[in-house]
Amino acid sequence: MEVEKNMTSFLNLNVQIDRFDGTNFTRWMGKLFFLLTLPKIAYVLDPKLEPLSEPKEDDFDELKAARKKREDDEVMCRGHILNTLSVRLYDLYNSMESPMEIWNALEYKYKTENECTDKFLILKYFEFVMVDTKFVLDQIHELQVIVTKLRELRVKIYESFQVGAVIAKLPQSWNGYRKKLLHRRDDTNLEELQKHLRIEEETKSRDPKGKIIDSSKVKVVKTSKFFKNFKVNNDKKFKKPSNG
């Protein structure tokens, strides 16, 4: 009865958790562990948890009650873990009786894969290069998405390092402004850096008269002028001399 009551309370919690399908293991594990702490059953997943002794006829009532609670908590914990798995993974791990056995099996399989993901994302972060054909702030956003994914995998990148990385990864056309940023004596956080870059990018996108230049039309304008000049020169070259 107590198990059913706790299960109902757990399912009625206003907390959303996606079914684990093999991706984002660390995020799923963290969310599920938090949910298991609410009904106070996460302790059964503690690898240092001492096993209870085998039941005996002369056991004290306190020991019998403790054993019954442990058994009920393990049943409920196992049910919660299986309930948050995809159908494919549920069928795969349903044969395991112990919640600890299921937890360890999932961690062994998917944490190893996450370590490979960690290395891939770290490499992707270091190899990320900004180009002149895209807006700088859009590229900074792409870089921050990688940082967010690394944070979910418990790879911490300090903000001062992120600031330095953004400055180092600016496109070649920003070399002059990069030197200016590097010679600043005051510490700049990521938000302030993006404000400075936004202002500089807007400045770069204006012509001397203060009008916004549409970069997509620059080549078209230049091409039009070329053909116009070509036509004028050829008209002069092939113009028939007058008989007068």
Side-chain angles (χ1 to χ4, degrees):
M1 185 68 181
E2 185 67 23
V3 174
E4 293 178 358
K5 180 180 178 182
N6 290 336
M7 180 71 79
T8 303
S9 300
F10 180 88
L11 295 176
N12 288 335
L13 289 172
N14 189 24
V15 181
Q16 297 293 328
I17 179 170
D18 297 329
R19 290 186 181 276
F20 179 59
D21 60 358
T23 58
N24 299 318
F25 172 73
T26 303
R27 181 192 303 168
W28 168 83
M29 181 178 65
K31 285 185 176 181
L32 179 58
F33 192 83
F34 168 73
L35 292 180
L36 294 174
T37 60
L38 298 179
K40 299 180 180 180
I41 58 175
Y43 75 93
V44 301
L45 298 176
D46 186 352
K48 297 180 181 179
L49 184 66
E50 292 291 334
L52 291 174
S53 59
E54 291 296 324
K56 300 177 182 178
E57 293 184 0
D58 58 347
D59 284 340
F60 294 107
D61 291 339
E62 291 81 0
L63 183 57
K64 291 180 180 179
R67 183 179 291 109
K68 180 67 168 60
K69 183 181 184 305
R70 173 81 68 84
E71 292 172 354
D72 289 346
D73 288 348
E74 288 184 349
V75 169
M76 187 163 61
C77 185
R78 177 181 179 275
H80 291 333
I81 295 174
L82 292 174
N83 189 53
T84 57
L85 298 179
S86 65
V87 175
R88 177 180 63 86
L89 293 180
Y90 178 93
D91 292 339
L92 186 62
Y93 292 98
N94 187 40
S95 60
M96 298 181 181
E97 297 295 332
S98 166
M100 176 63 83
E101 184 183 6
I102 299 173
W103 191 260
N104 288 341
L106 288 167
E107 189 172 24
Y108 177 79
K109 176 174 174 56
Y110 293 103
K111 204 167 185 180
T112 302
E113 293 183 3
N114 266 11
E115 289 174 358
C116 296
T117 304
D118 289 358
K119 294 176 183 177
F120 169 76
L121 285 174
I122 291 172
L123 181 64
K124 189 175 180 181
Y125 180 83
F126 281 117
E127 291 186 343
F128 188 95
V129 177
M130 296 188 193
V131 294
D132 288 314
T133 55
K134 296 181 181 179
F135 288 113
V136 166
L137 292 179
D138 290 344
Q139 296 180 81
I140 293 176
H141 176 72
E142 293 177 22
L143 194 62
Q144 289 308 109
V145 170
I146 300 176
V147 173
T148 301
K149 290 181 178 179
L150 287 170
R151 189 180 296 119
E152 291 173 354
L153 297 171
R154 299 180 182 178
V155 178
K156 186 174 182 179
I157 301 179
Y158 291 98
E159 186 173 14
S160 57
F161 185 91
Q162 295 179 49
V163 170
V166 169
I167 295 174
K169 293 175 183 295
L170 288 172
Q172 289 185 357
S173 63
W174 288 69
N175 283 346
Y177 194 74
R178 180 190 293 110
K179 292 178 181 178
K180 180 180 177 181
L181 291 172
L182 290 173
H183 284 86
R184 288 176 64 97
R185 294 186 178 181
D186 56 325
D187 293 332
T188 304
N189 60 37
L190 195 59
E191 184 177 355
E192 291 172 345
L193 176 62
Q194 291 184 78
K195 288 180 181 178
H196 293 318
L197 294 176
R198 182 182 295 108
I199 294 172
E200 180 66 15
E201 191 159 51
E202 289 176 355
T203 303
K204 283 176 172 289
S205 66
R206 296 176 183 272
D207 66 8
K209 295 180 180 180
K211 296 180 180 179
I212 299 293
I213 298 175
D214 186 347
S215 59
S216 64
K217 296 180 180 179
V218 172
K219 290 184 179 180
V220 177
V221 172
K222 288 183 178 179
T223 304
S224 299
K225 288 183 178 179
F226 171 79
F227 279 110
K228 183 178 180 181
N229 294 333
F230 179 82
K231 184 177 184 303
V232 170
N233 292 333
N234 277 275
D235 286 346
K236 290 180 179 179
K237 183 177 179 180
F238 293 105
K239 186 177 181 180
K240 293 182 180 180
S242 59
N243 294 326

